[in-house]
Amino acid sequence: MTDDGGGIRTRGVRRAFGTVHAVVDVELEARPGRVTALVGPNGSGKTTLLLMLAGLLTPDAGEIRVAGLDPVTRGRAARARIGWMPDVFGTWESLTAREVLLTVAAAYRMTADDAARRAVELLDLVHLTELADAPAHVLSRGQKQRLGLARALVHDPDVLLLDEPASGLDPRSRVDLRLLVRRLAAAGKTILISSHVLTELDEMADDAVFLSQGRTVRSQSVDDAAAERRAWRIAALSPRLLADWLTTAGILAQVDTDGTALVELDGDEAAVALLRDAVAADVPVVSLSPAGGALEQAYLRLEEERR
Amino acid sequence: MSIETDRGTEVPPSGATPQKVPASDWSLSWQGVRTVAQLELRQRVRSTRWKIALVVWFVAVGLITLLTSGAVTMIFDDPSMGADGAGRTMFGVVVFFVLFLGLLVAPALTAPAINGDRSAGTLATLQATLLTPAEIVVGKLLAAWLAALAFLAASVPFIVWAFAVGGLPFWSLVSVLLMLGIVLGIVCAIGLGFSTLTAKTSGSAVLTYLTVGGLSVLTLVLFGLSVPLVTTTEQVRTWDVPVDYDWEDTEPPECEWRIQTQEVFHSERTWWLLAANPFVIVADAQPLAGTEEFENAADPLTLIQYGVRYARTGPAAEQDWCGDMWFSNGGDLTADPPVEEQQPSQSLVWPWGLGIYVMLGAGGIVTAVRRLRIPVHRLPKGTRVA
C-alpha cells in the first residue's frame, strides 16, 4: 500500500460488539500539522474508533490508514508511529512517574540512556519533575492524566490519539495542554483529540469531525463552524431599551430574564452590522459575544437537526 | 504574559534510538522480556501482601520441619532402625509439604496476571507498544516463576536441614529441588494461559486450582478406577502348599509349583496415569533407594516412588504363596523359596510426567500469546480492550 503522506484516514469503518453497533460508518481525515477534534456524545463510538486507530481492535469493515499504514496488517510498524492516550488511565500504581516512562520507553525498544534522558524531558514537559520519584498512586487524577500524556509521547510519535485528555485537568493544566498540543501540531504531528467538552476544543482544534451513533455526521474546520449561523448574546445597560430596539428593528431575539438577548447571526460580519446598528440607535450596549463555542453550537444544531 | 517561556512547552525531540520493529507476534527479545519481567517484579516486591506471604510460608515450612524432626527423632531412637531412615523420612516429609504449599501458591502468582491487568486498564498500555505478545507472556511468566522460586528458596534451609540428617545421596537434594522448581514454573504457565481465557481473576484462579488439583488427586482416582479395566483372569505359576497338606500337621509343608487361575492387575498398562501427578514427578526424580532403605523409611516421597515403580513393573510372573503360610506356622525361614522376588522397575517415571507437564505448560503459553495478539477480532465476554 502507498504512503499517502501520513495523517489519519478512514473510510466506511464499522465495528460491532455482539449486537451493539459501536461504530457504523466513519469517514475521517486528520492531516499532519493540524489538530482534529473528534466530537460526539457519550456512546457515539469515539473510543471504539480510537482503539481501532491505535491498532488494538480490528474493524469489521472499512479502511484505516494511520501514518500511511494499515494498523491491522502492519500493526507494529504503525504502532511505532502512534502515541495513544486512553480515556481510562490505568497505571501501575506502585511505580514512580519516572519508572512508568522508563518502562514504556523500554517497551518501545529505546536504549537505557535514551530512555532516561527522554523521561527527564517529558517529566519536565508535563510539570511532574517534582513528583518524578513519587509512586503513581499519590498522584491526583489530573497529574495521572498528564503522566498519561507523557507516556503517549515517549517514542516521539507522528500521530497522537488523545482520548479525553483534558478530563480531570485544572485550568492551568488545560492551558498547558492546549499550548502543548498546538506546539506538537506546529512540529508537523497529526493530532486527533476526542472530547465531549467542546469549549476546550474550540481553542485547540483546527478541524472537527462529528460523530453520532457511530456515524460521521459532519466534518468541517473550526473556522467554518465559527462562520456559520449561530447564537450571539447581546447585553445592554437598559434591558428595556434593548428589547424595544430589537422589536422595532424587527430582529428575532430571545430576551432572557437577566435582560440579555440571544440573536441568531450569520458569522462575524453580521455581528459587526448588528452592533453598529444598535449603537447608532443609542442602545447602551455593553457586550456582544458568541453564546458558547463554535463547536458547541455546531454540535447542538446537529443534534437538533437529527431529532 | 508568556506562558511558553514561563513553563516551557517546548517538545523535546526523542532520543536517537532507531526503533527496531519486531517481525512477528512470536518474536522474543531479551529487552522486551526483561522490561515486562522487571515491571511485574517491581510491583510484586513493593506489595506488602507478597512479603507477608513469604514470611507465612517460611514460618509454616519451618514449623513442619521442626515437628517432623521431633517425630523422626522419637521413631528412630530405637537403635534397630537405621539412621539412614531418619534422614530419608524427614527429607521426604518436608519436600512433600513444600510441594503441597507450592502448588497452592503458584496458581495465585499467575492466574490474575493478565485478566487482572486488563481490568486495571494497564494491559492495553503494554500491548499498544512495540512489545510482542510473546514478550509480554514470557516476561510475566519469568517474573511469576522467579517469585515461585523465591518461595522455594525460603524453604531451602529446611530442606537442607532435613537432608543434613543424613542417609541420602547428594543427587537426591539436587534433583528434588530442580524438579520442584520446574513443576512450579509449569503450574505458573498453566495459570497464565487460564488468565487470558476468563474475564475475572477469580475464574482463572479456580480453573488453575482445578487443573492442579485434578493432576494431584484425579490421576490417583483414575488409576484406582481403571483397575477393573486392566485386570484379567490368567493362569499364574504359584509356589504353594500341596493340596493334600494337613493343616493340623506340625511339620511345615513341602511347597510345590502349581498353576492357578487368578485375577491379575496389570498396572504396567496404567502407571502413566500416576506419572502426571506432581507428587510422583518430584518423588521419582530422586535416585531409587535400595530395598533396605525403602523398608527403613516411612516418608511419603520414597513410598510414592516405590509405589509407582512397582506399578510400572506390573504383576509378577510367579507368586510365592508358601512363604506367608510358613510365617504363620512358625516355619523354617532359612529355606528360601525358589520364587523370584518382584523388583521395582528401574525405568524412570518422571520423564513421562515431565513430558506431560511441558506440554501443558506450552499449551498455557501458546494460549496466552494467541489471546494477547492485537488488533483483536473478538473480545472475551465481559472484557474491554482498555
Side-chain angles (χ1 to χ4, degrees), chain A residues 38-245:
Chain A
L38 192 58
V39 183
N42 294 328
S44 58
K46 300 190 298 283
T47 295
T48 305
L49 178 66
L50 285 172
L51 287 175
M52 287 190 278
L53 296 177
L56 287 158
L57 203 60
T58 42
D60 293 337
E63 227 182 284
I64 298 178
R65 292 289 177 275
V66 180
L69 299 162
D70 182 346
V72 176
T73 57
R74 304 199 48 200
R76 254 177 290 277
R79 291 207 297 278
R81 300 177 63 182
I82 297 173
W84 171 62
M85 178 180 170
D87 61 338
V88 183
F89 182 61
T91 190
W92 303 295
E93 296 285 342
S94 56
L95 263 60
T96 68
R98 190 192 307 279
E99 285 167 345
V100 167
L101 295 180
L102 290 177
T103 301
V104 173
Y108 279 107
R109 320 226 177 258
M110 288 165 71
T111 64
D113 289 348
D114 286 343
R117 197 174 56 242
R118 185 69 176 153
V120 171
E121 289 168 359
L122 288 171
L123 286 168
D124 183 51
L125 184 71
V126 298
H127 312 304
L128 286 176
T129 305
E130 282 163 34
L131 290 164
D133 297 308
H137 62 78
V138 307
L139 299 183
S140 70
R141 181 169 156 67
Q143 287 163 339
K144 278 186 189 169
Q145 201 76 3
R146 270 145 55 193
L147 180 59
L149 182 64
R151 201 176 61 181
L153 290 170
V154 163
H155 54 304
D156 193 25
D158 298 326
V159 175
L160 267 175
L161 307 171
L162 309 179
D163 203 351
E164 302 282 354
S167 71
L169 293 188
D170 56 36
R172 167 85 259 175
S173 303
R174 274 171 201 245
V175 173
D176 285 338
L177 174 71
R178 193 177 77 220
L179 292 168
L180 176 60
V181 164
R182 289 305 332 171
R183 203 152 277 265
L184 288 163
K189 316 261 180 218
T190 309
I191 299 164
L192 186 64
I193 296 189
S194 93
S195 182
H196 52 253
V197 184
L198 300 174
T199 38
E200 86 194 14
L201 287 178
D202 255 354
E203 301 158 322
M204 226 187 300
D206 301 302
D207 303 303
V209 173
F210 293 85
L211 288 192
S212 177
Q213 291 165 8
R215 287 171 207 277
T216 307
V217 286
R218 178 186 291 220
S219 299
Q220 65 180 165
S221 76
V222 174
D223 288 345
D224 286 350
E228 281 183 356
R229 186 174 180 83
R230 56 171 165 153
W232 291 67
R233 185 175 294 281
I234 184 164
L237 278 178
S238 158
R240 194 181 50 79
L241 277 176
L242 176 65
D244 287 351
W245 174 72

Side-chain angles (χ1 to χ4, degrees), chain A residues 210 218 220 225 228 293-303:
Chain A
F210 293 85
R218 178 186 291 220
Q220 65 180 165
E228 281 183 356
L295 285 176
E296 187 173 61
Q297 295 223 11
Y299 172 74
L300 291 175
R301 232 175 8 254
L302 216 55
E303 287 290 285

Side-chain angles (χ1 to χ4, degrees), chain B residues 99-324:
Chain B
L99 175 60
F100 174 74
L101 278 187
L103 291 177
L104 288 182
V105 168
L109 293 173
T110 51
I114 287 168
N115 48 16
D117 272 15
R118 191 171 263 147
S119 51
T122 49
L123 184 66
T125 309
L126 285 182
Q127 286 178 294
T129 66
L130 292 181
L131 290 173
T132 65
E135 283 165 353
I136 297 178
V137 169
V138 175
K140 277 179 181 283
L141 177 61
L142 185 66
W145 194 23
L146 286 174
L149 291 182
F151 279 100
L152 195 55
S155 37
V156 162
F158 304 110
I159 294 178
V160 168
W161 173 13
F163 175 78
V165 173
L168 284 157
F170 181 67
W171 185 240
S172 280
L173 179 68
V174 177
S175 61
V176 161
L177 281 179
L178 210 64
M179 205 52 76
L180 276 174
I182 293 172
V183 167
L184 293 183
I186 288 172
V187 171
C188 286
I190 295 171
L192 208 56
F194 281 127
S195 188
T196 56
L197 288 179
T198 67
K200 292 217 175 87
T201 55
S202 53
S204 50
V206 165
L207 285 173
T208 315
Y209 279 118
L210 276 179
T211 307
V212 172
L215 289 169
S216 306
V217 179
L218 212 59
T219 49
L220 213 61
V221 173
L222 282 177
F223 182 75
L225 290 177
S226 69
V227 169
L229 300 177
V230 291
T231 300
T232 48
T233 312
E234 284 172 25
Q235 304 284 316
V236 182
R237 196 160 172 251
T238 55
W239 178 250
D240 205 352
V241 181
V243 200
D244 55 2
Y245 178 66
D246 179 7
W247 288 95
E248 301 301 315
D249 208 335
T250 47
E251 282 292 301
E254 292 280 325
C255 289
E256 58 183 19
W257 285 110
R258 275 161 54 191
I259 303 290
Q260 294 195 37
T261 307
Q262 272 186 30
E263 301 277 299
V264 178
F265 170 37
H266 285 280
S267 59
E268 80 276 12
R269 295 182 193 155
T270 48
W271 63 270
W272 50 269
L273 276 169
L274 298 174
N277 189 305
F279 293 93
V280 171
I281 297 179
V282 172
D284 195 59
Q286 58 180 343
L288 189 67
T291 326
E292 205 174 306
E293 288 160 313
F294 164 58
E295 277 157 8
N296 276 335
D299 73 291
L301 231 46
T302 313
L303 291 180
I304 289 171
Q305 187 181 24
Y306 256 77
V308 73
R309 290 293 182 91
Y310 270 122
R312 188 162 184 185
T313 308
E318 25 190 66
Q319 294 180 7
D320 176 17
W321 285 29
C322 191
D324 296 340

